[in-house]
Amino acid sequence: MSIKELGTYAKNTWCPGCGNFAILNTIKMVLDELKAETGSLQNVVMISGIGCHAKIVDYVNVNSFYSIHGRVVPVAEGIKLANPGLKVIGFAGDGDAYGEGLEHLLFAAKRNIDITMIIHNNRVYGLTTGQYTPTSPLGFKGRSTPFGTMEKPINPLEIMLSSGATFIARGYSNKMDLLKDTMKQAIMHKGFSVVDVLQVCATFYNMYDYYNSKTYELFNHKPDDYASALAKIREWDYNSDSPIGLGVFYKKEEPVFDDKFRMVSPEKPDRQTRINELLKESI
């Protein structure tokens, strides 16, 4: 299967200039490499939520599941626990993952379940024409806040670090080579991995010029050092005018939830034996 064959018949309806195109093309390149390395994509499953990002599963020719708003993570967890041999990749928007779905995200990080979450973080609800989200900056003016928001954004990477995520990274839709390397590292990581992608909404919150001038690739950074990771993650709080690091902030190997879950799962009862026992007791 080539990159061209990874496409589908579905007509793309994203706006011109949308950062989702870069994420779509990047995941295709990553999957193409995985196909060359493993020989098959049969064990890959993509899950999406609700929002502009969610259409990505319509545009990639692999196994996929369309979940509901804020529920990408529990669906991904359930699929992984049911079939541990699958490579499960979830796609969610910033409102999807950091708003309604935040609790699920916290527990996936806490459990260190072996799934990957790619967050399309355009910092605005684009599908519903421009409301503020958990990562919109203070004072953001949109359809729901015409006079500007009165609350600061969250720093999702700091929340993920404190929750126990073992792979934390940030990408930018306009720097695809780095994004490709980062996404592939996340997918190959054994444990819970999350990549926050600064994905520009060209229609309702065009940040290309700002991100082009502020983003830089992390260098001389030790992702296995918690204190260093925390310092780098706090360098930009999604509200300040600080430099914005891109790449892997934190990476650590730890036992995964799915392995521990199988170790404590009871053996399946013999169905026929149990039926015979019930019949014997009742007759």
Side-chain angles (χ1 to χ4, degrees), residues 17-24 26 121-122 170-177 179 196-201 208 211-212 215 246:
C18 176
N20 282 331
F21 287 104
I23 297 177
L24 171 63
T26 301
N121 188 357
N122 56 19
R170 181 189 293 129
Y172 171 35
S173 60
N174 213 26
K175 293 187 176 179
M176 285 180 60
D177 288 341
L179 180 60
D196 181 72
V197 184
L198 299 176
Q199 171 260 312
V200 175
C201 175
Y208 278 118
Y211 289 151
N212 287 340
T215 54
L246 303 175

Side-chain angles (χ1 to χ4, degrees), residues 210 228 274:
Y210 185 82
S228 296
R274 185 56 183 150

Side-chain angles (χ1 to χ4, degrees), residues 127-147:
L127 186 66
T128 50
T129 68
Q131 295 80 14
Y132 81 102
T133 76
T135 54
S136 300
L138 178 67
F140 174 85
K141 293 182 179 180
R143 294 290 293 271
S144 59
T145 53
F147 303 107

